[in-house]
mmCIF file of all heavy atoms in Angstrom:
data_model
loop_
_atom_site.group_PDB
_atom_site.id
_atom_site.type_symbol
_atom_site.label_atom_id
_atom_site.label_comp_id
_atom_site.label_asym_id
_atom_site.label_seq_id
_atom_site.Cartn_x
_atom_site.Cartn_y
_atom_site.Cartn_z
ATOM 1 N N SER A 333 11.375 -15.397 -25.564
ATOM 2 C CA SER A 333 10.101 -15.038 -26.211
ATOM 3 C C SER A 333 9.916 -13.536 -26.327
ATOM 4 O O SER A 333 9.111 -13.058 -27.122
ATOM 5 C CB SER A 333 8.929 -15.610 -25.403
ATOM 6 O OG SER A 333 8.900 -14.998 -24.122
ATOM 7 N N GLY A 334 10.633 -12.769 -25.496
ATOM 8 C CA GLY A 334 10.452 -11.320 -25.491
ATOM 9 C C GLY A 334 9.148 -10.904 -24.817
ATOM 10 O O GLY A 334 8.793 -9.724 -24.815
ATOM 11 N N ALA A 335 8.419 -11.854 -24.235
ATOM 12 C CA ALA A 335 7.136 -11.528 -23.599
ATOM 13 C C ALA A 335 7.367 -10.755 -22.301
ATOM 14 O O ALA A 335 8.449 -10.801 -21.719
ATOM 15 C CB ALA A 335 6.363 -12.811 -23.310
ATOM 16 N N PHE A 336 6.327 -10.083 -21.848
ATOM 17 C CA PHE A 336 6.419 -9.284 -20.621
ATOM 18 C C PHE A 336 6.561 -10.184 -19.389
ATOM 19 O O PHE A 336 7.326 -9.900 -18.482
ATOM 20 C CB PHE A 336 5.148 -8.431 -20.498
ATOM 21 C CG PHE A 336 5.063 -7.616 -19.241
ATOM 22 C CD1 PHE A 336 5.694 -6.380 -19.154
ATOM 23 C CD2 PHE A 336 4.347 -8.077 -18.136
ATOM 24 C CE1 PHE A 336 5.617 -5.630 -17.998
ATOM 25 C CE2 PHE A 336 4.272 -7.328 -16.967
ATOM 26 C CZ PHE A 336 4.899 -6.099 -16.905
ATOM 27 N N GLN A 337 5.807 -11.284 -19.393
ATOM 28 C CA GLN A 337 5.838 -12.196 -18.235
ATOM 29 C C GLN A 337 5.327 -13.564 -18.666
ATOM 30 O O GLN A 337 4.459 -13.654 -19.549
ATOM 31 C CB GLN A 337 4.927 -11.637 -17.133
ATOM 32 C CG GLN A 337 5.143 -12.250 -15.763
ATOM 33 C CD GLN A 337 4.350 -11.518 -14.670
ATOM 34 O OE1 GLN A 337 3.664 -10.543 -14.931
ATOM 35 N NE2 GLN A 337 4.460 -11.996 -13.452
ATOM 36 N N CYS A 365 1.330 -16.633 -20.723
ATOM 37 C CA CYS A 365 2.417 -15.803 -21.264
ATOM 38 C C CYS A 365 1.748 -14.555 -21.813
ATOM 39 O O CYS A 365 0.805 -14.642 -22.594
ATOM 40 C CB CYS A 365 3.133 -16.588 -22.370
ATOM 41 S SG CYS A 365 4.495 -15.682 -23.132
ATOM 42 N N ILE A 366 2.211 -13.385 -21.373
ATOM 43 C CA ILE A 366 1.463 -12.160 -21.718
ATOM 44 C C ILE A 366 2.340 -11.052 -22.299
ATOM 45 O O ILE A 366 3.534 -10.951 -22.033
ATOM 46 C CB ILE A 366 0.739 -11.588 -20.468
ATOM 47 C CG1 ILE A 366 1.731 -11.348 -19.327
ATOM 48 C CG2 ILE A 366 -0.407 -12.487 -20.041
ATOM 49 C CD1 ILE A 366 1.230 -10.377 -18.293
ATOM 50 N N GLU A 367 1.645 -10.214 -23.075
ATOM 51 C CA GLU A 367 2.210 -8.962 -23.561
ATOM 52 C C GLU A 367 1.594 -7.846 -22.729
ATOM 53 O O GLU A 367 0.375 -7.838 -22.521
ATOM 54 C CB GLU A 367 1.835 -8.731 -25.037
ATOM 55 C CG GLU A 367 2.252 -9.855 -25.966
ATOM 56 C CD GLU A 367 3.755 -10.081 -25.947
ATOM 57 O OE1 GLU A 367 4.504 -9.091 -26.079
ATOM 58 O OE2 GLU A 367 4.172 -11.244 -25.780
ATOM 59 N N SER A 368 2.437 -6.921 -22.271
ATOM 60 C CA SER A 368 1.922 -5.831 -21.446
ATOM 61 C C SER A 368 3.012 -4.776 -21.337
ATOM 62 O O SER A 368 4.177 -5.048 -21.632
ATOM 63 C CB SER A 368 1.572 -6.359 -20.052
ATOM 64 O OG SER A 368 1.108 -5.316 -19.231
ATOM 65 N N THR A 369 2.622 -3.568 -20.905
ATOM 66 C CA THR A 369 3.682 -2.604 -20.625
ATOM 67 C C THR A 369 3.809 -2.376 -19.120
ATOM 68 O O THR A 369 4.892 -2.118 -18.623
ATOM 69 C CB THR A 369 3.438 -1.243 -21.320
ATOM 70 O OG1 THR A 369 2.082 -0.873 -21.072
ATOM 71 C CG2 THR A 369 3.674 -1.324 -22.812
ATOM 72 N N ASP A 370 2.693 -2.484 -18.396
ATOM 73 C CA ASP A 370 2.765 -2.208 -16.962
ATOM 74 C C ASP A 370 1.944 -3.185 -16.133
ATOM 75 O O ASP A 370 1.710 -2.933 -14.951
ATOM 76 C CB ASP A 370 2.290 -0.771 -16.691
ATOM 77 C CG ASP A 370 0.912 -0.540 -17.285
ATOM 78 O OD1 ASP A 370 0.272 -1.521 -17.720
ATOM 79 O OD2 ASP A 370 0.469 0.616 -17.318
ATOM 80 N N ALA A 371 1.485 -4.275 -16.745
ATOM 81 C CA ALA A 371 0.699 -5.327 -16.066
ATOM 82 C C ALA A 371 -0.706 -4.875 -15.659
ATOM 83 O O ALA A 371 -1.464 -5.641 -15.089
ATOM 84 C CB ALA A 371 1.435 -5.912 -14.854
ATOM 85 N N THR A 373 -2.981 -3.902 -17.880
ATOM 86 C CA THR A 373 -3.760 -4.633 -18.882
ATOM 87 C C THR A 373 -2.773 -5.574 -19.560
ATOM 88 O O THR A 373 -1.560 -5.327 -19.549
ATOM 89 C CB THR A 373 -4.375 -3.700 -19.949
ATOM 90 O OG1 THR A 373 -3.310 -3.008 -20.602
ATOM 91 C CG2 THR A 373 -5.346 -2.711 -19.340
ATOM 92 N N ALA A 374 -3.293 -6.638 -20.150
ATOM 93 C CA ALA A 374 -2.392 -7.611 -20.790
ATOM 94 C C ALA A 374 -3.164 -8.410 -21.835
ATOM 95 O O ALA A 374 -4.395 -8.535 -21.752
ATOM 96 C CB ALA A 374 -1.819 -8.561 -19.736
ATOM 97 N N THR A 375 -2.433 -8.920 -22.812
ATOM 98 C CA THR A 375 -3.042 -9.855 -23.770
ATOM 99 C C THR A 375 -2.140 -11.081 -23.849
ATOM 100 O O THR A 375 -0.929 -10.999 -23.592
ATOM 101 C CB THR A 375 -3.163 -9.245 -25.185
ATOM 102 O OG1 THR A 375 -1.875 -8.757 -25.560
ATOM 103 C CG2 THR A 375 -4.173 -8.117 -25.235
ATOM 104 N N ALA A 376 -2.733 -12.203 -24.229
ATOM 105 C CA ALA A 376 -1.944 -13.433 -24.337
ATOM 106 C C ALA A 376 -0.990 -13.325 -25.522
ATOM 107 O O ALA A 376 -1.350 -12.778 -26.575
ATOM 108 C CB ALA A 376 -2.878 -14.620 -24.517
ATOM 109 N N THR A 377 0.226 -13.821 -25.347
ATOM 110 C CA THR A 377 1.206 -13.815 -26.431
ATOM 111 C C THR A 377 0.832 -14.870 -27.473
ATOM 112 O O THR A 377 0.425 -15.977 -27.123
ATOM 113 C CB THR A 377 2.600 -14.160 -25.855
ATOM 114 O OG1 THR A 377 2.879 -13.248 -24.795
ATOM 115 C CG2 THR A 377 3.689 -14.069 -26.920
ATOM 116 N N GLU A 378 0.956 -14.490 -28.752
ATOM 117 C CA GLU A 378 0.694 -15.466 -29.827
ATOM 118 C C GLU A 378 1.924 -16.334 -30.011
ATOM 119 O O GLU A 378 2.739 -16.125 -30.903
ATOM 120 C CB GLU A 378 0.395 -14.734 -31.138
ATOM 121 C CG GLU A 378 -1.012 -14.208 -31.201
ATOM 122 C CD GLU A 378 -1.378 -13.719 -32.597
ATOM 123 O OE1 GLU A 378 -1.010 -14.386 -33.584
ATOM 124 O OE2 GLU A 378 -2.005 -12.651 -32.677
ATOM 125 N N LEU A 379 2.071 -17.302 -29.155
ATOM 126 C CA LEU A 379 3.251 -18.175 -29.228
ATOM 127 C C LEU A 379 3.142 -19.114 -30.425
ATOM 128 O O LEU A 379 2.041 -19.554 -30.769
ATOM 129 C CB LEU A 379 3.364 -19.009 -27.944
ATOM 130 C CG LEU A 379 3.769 -18.248 -26.691
ATOM 131 C CD1 LEU A 379 3.671 -19.149 -25.467
ATOM 132 C CD2 LEU A 379 5.190 -17.702 -26.820
ATOM 133 N N TYR A 403 -3.088 -23.728 -22.324
ATOM 134 C CA TYR A 403 -2.539 -22.383 -22.543
ATOM 135 C C TYR A 403 -3.673 -21.379 -22.345
ATOM 136 O O TYR A 403 -4.738 -21.520 -22.947
ATOM 137 C CB TYR A 403 -1.944 -22.269 -23.955
ATOM 138 C CG TYR A 403 -1.231 -20.950 -24.179
ATOM 139 C CD1 TYR A 403 -0.217 -20.536 -23.336
ATOM 140 C CD2 TYR A 403 -1.582 -20.118 -25.242
ATOM 141 C CE1 TYR A 403 0.430 -19.330 -23.532
ATOM 142 C CE2 TYR A 403 -0.931 -18.911 -25.458
ATOM 143 C CZ TYR A 403 0.075 -18.517 -24.590
ATOM 144 O OH TYR A 403 0.716 -17.321 -24.779
ATOM 145 N N LYS A 408 -6.215 -9.482 -19.724
ATOM 146 C CA LYS A 408 -6.517 -8.758 -18.483
ATOM 147 C C LYS A 408 -7.009 -7.381 -18.882
ATOM 148 O O LYS A 408 -6.231 -6.676 -19.555
ATOM 149 C CB LYS A 408 -5.263 -8.634 -17.610
ATOM 150 C CG LYS A 408 -5.501 -7.772 -16.359
ATOM 151 C CD LYS A 408 -4.271 -7.629 -15.506
ATOM 152 C CE LYS A 408 -4.566 -6.714 -14.329
ATOM 153 N NZ LYS A 408 -3.447 -6.581 -13.412
#
Side-chain angles (χ1 to χ4, degrees):
S333 64
F336 177 84
Q337 196 172 359
C365 180
I366 55 160
E367 304 300 311
S368 178
T369 47
D370 54 10
T373 60
T375 53
T377 305
E378 281 191 41
L379 289 173
Y403 186 55
K408 175 181 177 177

